[in-house]
């Protein structure tokens, strides 16, 4: 099925845009969700993580202590790369399975892959078009820190591990400007939805 990649840095508004695409009956597959599934208790990747980082990243109930691992990997790029080489191939497989159900379960003629690291990884091979949710970096920092328990310092480190704004926008086929209101974002998504229906029909 024709698939559009929806990307943007942390706190840019991908989830907000994705919610509007879902409202139109589009199957939105979320890479952050896939990243959680592959490290659930009982999955081999969680055993590997515990072996590499130690029991300090495992909670009493046996699940991953995400805050502890976040601290470890965004403080040390080598540790982040280790985690990525383990999880990214698994995340990709999970995404492929979730995209496969689009045709049978959703009314829209195209699917969305929502991913913060679409352009940074081989996930870009899974899409025919790239849509970037764009906001100035200062606003990104402000919205992400208002939402998360993460400190401003930690969000800066996460942003540093992602593509710079200009490089991401340079790879975009379409750009959603989310520096304004949610109403403005929704109106832009509605226009893109109409465009993607046409593109899917031609594909
Ligand atoms: C380090 C982990 C455990 C922290 O979990 P936590 O629940 O705190 O954050 P969550 O997964 O919701 O991610 C929040 C945001 O951080 C950013 N982020 C996450 N991982 C990465 C990464 N490897 N590089 C750059 N940014 C990242 C994204 O913008 C994401 O939306 C988790 O992010 C993780 O497992 N990351 C590695 C897998 C990955 O690359 N996921 C990104 C989607 S493919
Ligand atoms: N246009 C807007 N006006 C005001 N607040 C907004 C707007 N768009 C999104 N937000 C808020 O900004 C925060 C980040 O948005 P959202 O969660 O959609 O970003 P995201 O790109 O999915 O982030 P992440 O990569 O961290 O998952 C949320 O608290 C959201 O409610």
């Amino acid at each position: 099925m024709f698939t559009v990649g929806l990307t943007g840095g942390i706190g840019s508004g991908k989830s907000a845009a994705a919610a509007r695409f879902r409202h139109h009956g589009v199957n939105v597959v979320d890479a952050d969700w896939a990243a959680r599934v592959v490290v659930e208790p009982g999955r081999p990747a969680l055993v590997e993580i515990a072996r590499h980082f130690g029991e300090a990243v495992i909670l009493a109930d046996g699940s991953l202590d995400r805050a502890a691992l976040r601290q470890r990997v965004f403080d040390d790029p080598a540790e982040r790369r280790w985690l990525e080489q383990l999880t990214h191939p698994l995340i990709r497989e999970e995404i492929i399975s979730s995209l496969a159900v689009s045709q049978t379960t959703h009314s829209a003629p195209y699917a969305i892959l929502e991913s913060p690291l679409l352009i940074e990884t081989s996930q870009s091979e899974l899409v025919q078009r790239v849509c970037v949710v764009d906001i100035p970096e200062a606003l990104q920092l402000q919205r992400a820190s208002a939402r998360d328990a993460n400190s401003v310092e930690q969000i800066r480190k996460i942003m540093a591990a992602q593509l710079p704004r200009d490089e991401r926008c340079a790879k975009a086929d379409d750009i959603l400007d989310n520096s304004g209101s949610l109403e403005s974002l929704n109106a832009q998504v509605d226009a893109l939805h109409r465009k993607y229906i046409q593109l899917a029909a031609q594909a």
Side-chain angles (χ1 to χ4, degrees):
M1 189 181 244
F2 186 75
T3 305
V4 178
L6 179 66
T7 191
I10 185 166
S12 59
K14 292 180 298 299
S15 301
R20 189 68 180 177
F21 280 110
R22 282 198 179 97
H23 163 85
H24 290 295
V26 179
N27 180 23
V28 179
V29 174
D30 177 1
D32 281 339
W33 169 83
R36 284 190 170 76
V37 169
V38 302
V39 295
E40 277 173 355
R43 296 282 185 137
L46 189 59
V47 177
E48 292 285 314
I49 288 170
R51 199 177 287 151
H52 182 85
F53 290 99
E55 292 297 323
V57 301
I58 305 297
L59 293 168
D61 68 0
S63 65
L64 181 63
D65 185 340
R66 305 185 69 85
L69 189 57
R70 187 173 65 217
Q71 182 93 44
R72 291 285 296 273
V73 300
F74 291 109
D75 276 349
D76 185 340
E79 295 290 30
R80 177 168 53 80
R81 281 191 288 273
W82 184 89
L83 181 65
E84 290 173 350
Q85 61 77 32
L86 174 72
T87 57
H88 282 183
L90 303 170
I91 292 168
R92 184 187 159 95
E93 290 310 309
E94 199 63 43
I95 288 170
I96 290 170
S97 316
S98 302
L99 282 173
V101 305
S102 299
Q103 231 141 8
T104 49
T105 53
H106 291 76
S107 57
Y110 69 96
I112 295 263
L113 168 54
E114 175 194 349
S115 174
L117 302 181
L118 181 87
I119 301 168
E120 289 90 333
T121 67
S122 64
Q123 288 169 23
S124 54
E125 294 164 6
L126 305 175
V127 304
Q128 284 76 55
R129 205 171 172 87
V130 174
C131 176
V132 167
V133 187
D134 180 51
I135 57 170
E137 279 157 356
L139 192 56
Q140 200 184 343
L141 202 57
Q142 190 186 315
R143 285 186 185 160
S145 53
R147 183 200 52 190
D148 297 343
N150 296 358
S151 64
V152 168
E153 187 202 0
Q154 199 165 49
I155 289 164
R156 276 193 210 282
K157 284 180 186 164
I158 295 174
M159 285 168 67
Q162 302 181 344
L163 270 186
R165 183 185 180 195
D166 54 343
E167 285 180 37
R168 186 184 295 111
C169 286
K171 301 274 187 189
D173 296 300
D174 305 297
I175 292 186
L176 290 165
D177 171 7
N178 191 26
S179 58
S181 65
L182 275 177
E183 289 71 26
S184 160
L185 177 68
N186 285 343
Q188 294 173 67
V189 170
D190 294 352
L192 276 185
H193 174 63
R194 290 189 289 273
K195 178 171 167 177
Y196 293 156
I197 288 174
Q198 288 185 343
L199 288 172
Q202 291 159 14

